[in-house]
C-alpha cells in the first residue's frame, strides 16, 4: 500500500482528518504562529541527555571565522538507527539559533519525507516568497533560494539523507551559514566528506548518560535504589536513546515494578535471527523493547497501534485513526496520549501525530502478523473515505456549491451544509496535501478508482490557488489513469481538463492541448456542462499562448452553453474570460462591459468567490487602455475585497498591479513598497522576516538585492 522507493526528485515542484461536520474543529484548532525569522526545525525532545562532546564540536564549527571560505561548513552526523541523530540535530539547531539571526531551515528526507524539489519550495515559502511566485522548475527554485540566502547567517538542517545530492543541491550560498546533516548509512556522506564536510559520528549513550536518561524520566530516587539493574538496562538496550526512552516511559507508568524484571524480559526477547550488522542489531534491540511495550498494552490500544502500520501519509490525526478503528474520536485521543507517554508516538501542534520510522515498521509487522489482509484493507478503506469527505468539504468551503464538479458533493457530505471559513479549509488542504497524494496512490493500488478521481477534483481548489505544479501533475496523471481503468468517462473528461491546467501553468502547451483534445472527444457523451468546461480550459491555454482570437471563440462557445443551462457561476466566469480576450485584442469598451455583466451575475450568490478576479480583470484592461486613475481605483478595490476574503493570490496580484502603476508614474519607492507587500503574501505561516522580505521584493523587481 505504500511504496518504499527513495524519493529524490530533482525536477519540477514537487493528519488530521475528520467527518465533514467536524472540519472546522480540526482546521481551526489552535496553532502557533511562527516567528518572523524562519524556524522550521522541530523542537528538541525532552528530556535530552548528554551529547556534550558532539555539541561542543558543533559550537566550534559555528564559531569558525569565515576567512576564505566560499561555502558554509557542513557537519555530517552518522550512526545506527535509534542512536539519536535526529534528536541531536534538533538540539543543536535550538541551542545555536541565537548565533544565526536569519533563521533555521529544516527538511526531512527518508522514504516518507520531502523530495529536494518539495524541500526547496518549502524553504522559499519560509523565506517570504509568495507561493504564486515560487518557480515551477527545480533549477529556477534553487537559483532563487541561493539568491535569497546569499550573505545570510542561518542554519540549514537535512535529516534522513539518502543521497549526497539531496544536500549539495540545496546548500545556502553563504559561508557564514551552518549546515547540519544526518544519515543512517555512511554512503551518502562520503561525497560530502570529499567536499570538506566534518565527520561527526554519533555513538550510543555511555552507561553514565544512559542511566541519566532513565533517571530524567523515572526519577533519580528510583534509579538510585536499583542502579545496578538500570546499568544492565542500558546495556541490554545498547545505549540507544530510542529504546531507552521507551523503556524508561514503560517503567514510569509502573512505579512498583523491579527494573530487573524488565531487563530479564528484554534479554529473553532480544533475538536477532537476521544479519549481524550494526543496523540489524540496533533494530533488534529497539524492536525487543517495542515488543515488550506492545504486549503490555490493552487489547484496544494494541488494535490502534496495528492500524498505525496500515495508515498512509507522513502524519495522522486522531480523527482518521478513529475512522479506521470505528471508535469515538475522544476515546482515540485518550489512547494516543498513552502511546505518546510511552514514547512510541510523538504529538505536534495542531493535534498532529507522527511516528518514528522504526515504530511504523514495527506496527506494520504486528498488523501483518496479527490481522488478515481483509481487515487491513477495510481499515484503509475507512481512512480513504474519511480523507475524501473532509477534502470535499474543504473544496465546497472554498469554491461554493455552484462550482463545476462531476460528483455532487451532497452524495459524499449529505444534506448538512458546510460551515467552514474558506481560509481554514485552504489551510487544511495545504497541510494535508502530502497525505492526500499518498491516499490517492493507495486507493489506486486497491482499485478504488472513483475515489481517486474525486480526491483530485477536491484538490483542484488548492492546486489552482497555490500551484504546487509537480504535485498537481502527479495527482492529475494518477486520476486520469484511474478514470481510464474504471471506464469513468465523465471523470476522465474533468480530470484531463484539470491536468491540462497544470501543463498550461508549466508552459507545456502541447501536452495541455493533448489532454484537452481527448477530453473534447469524450465530452460529447457526457452532457453540455463538461463540453463547456473543455472549451473553457482550451480557451485558457490559447490565451496563455498569446492567441486571443482563437481563445475568444472557445470562451463564447462555453458562454453560450452556460447561458442555455442557466448556470450563474459558469456564465459569470465565461463572461469574465470573454472580457479578458477582448482586452488583449484592444476592444476595451466591450471587455469592460463583459466584466460588468460578470460582476452583476455573481452579486449576492456563493459565486462571489470569483469577484476579486473580475475586479482584477477590470483593472488590467483599464490600465491597458491608459485609464490609470480608474485602474488604480479598481486595483485598490480588488485588494480590499481580496483582503476581506483573505484571498491572498488576488491580493498579491492587485498589489503588483498597483506597483506597476506607481512605477509608470516614476514613483519607484512606492512601487517597491507594493512589491514588498506582495512578497509578504501567500505565506503558510505568519509574518515574514523584514530582511528576507526586502531582499525578495528587490529580486522580484528585477533589481540587485540589498545588503
Amino acid at each position: 500500500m505504500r511504496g518504499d522507493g527513495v524519493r529524490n526528485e530533482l525536477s519540477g515542484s514537487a493528519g488530521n482528518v475528520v467527518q465533514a461536520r467536524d472540519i472546522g474543529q480540526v482546521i481551526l484548532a489552535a496553532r502557533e504562529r511562527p516567528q518572523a525569522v524562519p524556524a522550521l526545525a522541530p523542537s528538541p525532545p525532552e528530556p535530552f541527555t548528554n551529547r556534550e562532546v558532539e555539541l561542543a564540536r558543533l559550537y566550534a564549527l559555528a564559531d569558525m571565522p569565515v576567512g576564505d571560505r566560499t561555502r558554509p561548513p557542513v557537519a555530517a552526523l552518522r550512526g545506527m538507527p535509534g542512536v539519536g541523530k535526529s534528536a541531536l540535530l534538533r538540539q543543536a539547531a535550538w541551542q545555536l539559533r541565537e548565533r544565526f539571526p536569519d533563521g533555521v531551515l529544516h527538511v526531512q528526507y527518508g522514504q516518507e519525507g520531502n523530495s529536494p524539489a518539495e524541500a526547496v519550495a518549502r524553504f522559499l515559502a519560509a523565506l517570504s516568497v509568495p507561493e504564486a511566485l515560487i518557480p515551477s522548475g527545480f533549477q529556477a527554485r534553487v537559483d532563487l533560494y541561493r539568491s535569497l540566502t546569499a550573505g545570510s547567517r542561518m542554519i540549514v538542517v537535512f535529516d534522513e539523507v539518502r543521497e549526497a545530492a539531496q544536500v549539495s543541491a540545496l546548500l545556502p550560498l553563504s559561508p557564514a551559514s551552518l549546515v547540519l546533516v544526518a544519515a543512517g548509512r555512511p554512503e551518502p556522506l562520503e561525497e560530502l566528506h570529499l567536499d570538506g564536510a566534518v565527520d561527526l559520528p554519533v555513538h550510543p549513550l555511555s552507561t553514565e548518560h544512559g542511566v541519566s536518561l532513565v533517571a530524567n524520566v523515572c526519577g533519580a530516587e528510583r534509579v538510585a535504589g536499583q542502579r545496578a539493574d538500570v546499568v544492565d538496562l542500558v546495556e541490554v538496550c545498547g545505549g540507544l536513546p530510542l529504546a531507552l526512552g521507551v523503556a524508561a516511559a514503560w517503567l514510569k507508568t509502573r512505579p512498583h515494578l523491579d527494573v530487573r524484571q524488565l531487563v530479564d524480559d528484554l534479554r529473553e526477547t532480544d533475538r536477532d535471527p537476521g544479519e549481524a550488522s550494526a543496523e540489524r542489531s540496533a533494530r533488534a534491540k529497539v524492536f525487543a523493547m517495542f515488543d515488550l511495550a506492545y504486549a503490555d498494552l490493552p487489547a484496544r490500544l494494541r488494535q490502534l497501534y496495528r492500524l498505525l502500520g496500515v495508515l498512509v501519509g507522513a502524519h495522522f490525526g486522531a480523527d482518521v485513526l478513529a475512522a479506521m478503528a470505528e471508535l469515538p474520536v475522544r476515546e482515540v485521543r485518550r489512547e494516543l496520549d498513552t502511546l505518546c507517554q510511552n514514547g512510541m508516538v510523538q504529538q505536534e501542534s495542531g493535534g498532529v501525530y507522527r511516528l518514528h520510522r522504526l515504530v511504523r515498521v514495527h506496527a506494520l509487522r504486528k498488523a501483518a502478523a496479527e490481522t488478515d489482509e481483509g481487515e487491513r484493507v477495510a481499515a484503509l478503506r475507512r481512512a480513504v473515505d474519511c480523507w475524501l469527505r473532509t477534502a470535499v468539504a474543504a473544496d465546497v468551503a472554498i469554491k461554493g456549491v455552484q462550482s463545476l464538479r462531476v460528483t455532487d458533493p451532497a452524495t459524499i457530505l449529505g444534506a448538512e451544509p458546510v460551515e467552514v471559513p474558506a481560509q481554514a479549509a485552504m489551510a487544511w488542504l495545504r497541510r494535508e496535501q502530502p497525505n492526500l497524494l499518498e491516499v490517492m496512490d493507495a486507493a489506486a493500488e486497491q482499485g478504488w478508482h472513483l475515489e481517486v478521481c474525486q480526491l483530485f477534483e477536491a484538490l483542484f481548489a488548492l492546486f489552482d490557488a497555490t500551484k504546487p505544479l509537480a504535485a498537481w501533475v502527479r495527482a492529475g496523471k494518477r486520476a486520469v489513469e484511474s478514470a481510464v481503468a474504471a471506464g469513468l468517462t465523465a471523470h476522465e473528461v474533468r480530470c484531463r481538463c484539470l491536468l491540462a491546467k497544470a501543463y498550461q501553468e508549466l508552459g507545456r502547451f502541447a501536452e495541455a492541448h493533448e489532454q484537452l483534445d481527448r477530453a473534447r472527444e469524450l465530452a460529447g457523451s457526457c452532457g453540455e456542462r463538461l463540453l463547456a468546461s473543455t472549451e473553457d480550459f482550451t480557451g485558457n491555454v490559447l490565451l496563455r499562448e498569446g492567441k486571443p482570437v482563437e481563445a475568444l471563440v472557445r470562451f463564447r462557445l462555453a458562454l453560450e452553453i452556460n447561458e442555455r443551462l442557466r448556470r450563474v457561476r459558469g456564465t459569470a466566469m465565461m463572461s469574465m474570460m470573454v472580457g479578458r480576450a477582448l482586452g488583449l485584442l484592444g476592444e476595451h469598451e466591450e471587455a469592460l462591459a463583459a466584466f460588468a455583466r460578470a460582476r452583476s451575475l455573481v452579486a449576492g450568490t456563493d459565486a462571489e468567490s470569483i469577484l476579486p478576479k473580475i475586479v482584477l480583470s477590470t483593472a488590467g484592461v483599464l490600465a491597458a487602455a491608459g485609464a490609470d486613475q480608474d485602474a488604480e481605483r479598481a486595483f485598490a478595490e480588488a485588494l480590499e475585497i481580496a483582503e476581506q476574503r483573505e484571498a491572498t493570490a488576488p491580493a498579491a496580484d492587485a498589489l503588483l498591479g498597483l506597483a506597476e502603476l506607481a512605477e509608470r508614474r516614476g514613483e519607484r519607492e512606492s512601487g517597491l513598497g507594493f512589491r514588498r507587500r506582495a512578497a509578504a503574501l501567500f505565506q503558510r505561516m505568519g509574518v515574514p522576516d523584514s530582511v528576507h522580505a526586502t531582499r525578495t521584493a528587490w529580486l522580484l523587481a528585477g533589481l540587485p538585492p540589498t545588503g
Side-chain angles (χ1 to χ4, degrees), residues 299-447:
R300 180 166 291 179
L301 194 48
R302 289 200 301 271
Q303 175 203 8
L304 292 177
Y305 182 79
R306 292 192 297 269
L307 290 174
L308 295 180
V310 178
L311 191 63
V312 299
H315 55 261
F316 69 96
D319 311 273
V320 69
L321 191 59
M324 295 176 75
E326 299 180 292
L327 292 172
V329 174
R330 180 174 297 179
E331 182 176 334
V332 169
R333 286 200 180 100
R334 287 198 302 267
E335 302 288 12
L336 280 170
D337 285 342
T338 301
L339 288 176
C340 290
Q341 290 170 11
N342 70 18
M344 302 181 82
V345 174
Q346 293 180 335
Q347 185 173 10
E348 301 180 355
S349 62
V352 173
Y353 299 86
R354 291 187 186 273
L355 302 177
H356 189 283
R357 61 186 180 86
L358 291 184
V359 176
R360 187 182 291 275
V361 171
H362 183 264
L364 184 57
R365 287 187 176 188
K366 289 299 180 185
E370 300 180 21
T371 61
D372 61 44
E373 185 178 2
E375 290 180 75
R376 298 194 296 275
V377 171
L380 178 63
R381 179 55 188 256
R382 290 191 290 272
V384 170
D385 290 344
C386 186
W387 258 304
L388 176 61
R389 283 192 297 273
T390 315
V392 170
D395 175 39
V396 171
I398 294 167
K399 301 182 70 176
V401 296
Q402 291 191 33
S403 182
L404 174 62
R405 301 177 182 91
V406 176
T407 299
D408 182 355
T411 63
I412 296 174
L413 303 176
E416 186 175 351
V418 176
E419 298 180 353
V420 180
Q423 182 192 27
M426 183 64 75
W428 184 87
L429 284 173
R430 284 172 172 165
R431 188 184 68 198
E432 294 301 317
Q433 176 193 306
N435 282 346
L436 292 170
L437 294 178
E438 295 293 333
V439 170
M440 289 180 66
D441 290 342
E445 187 174 331
Q446 294 296 329

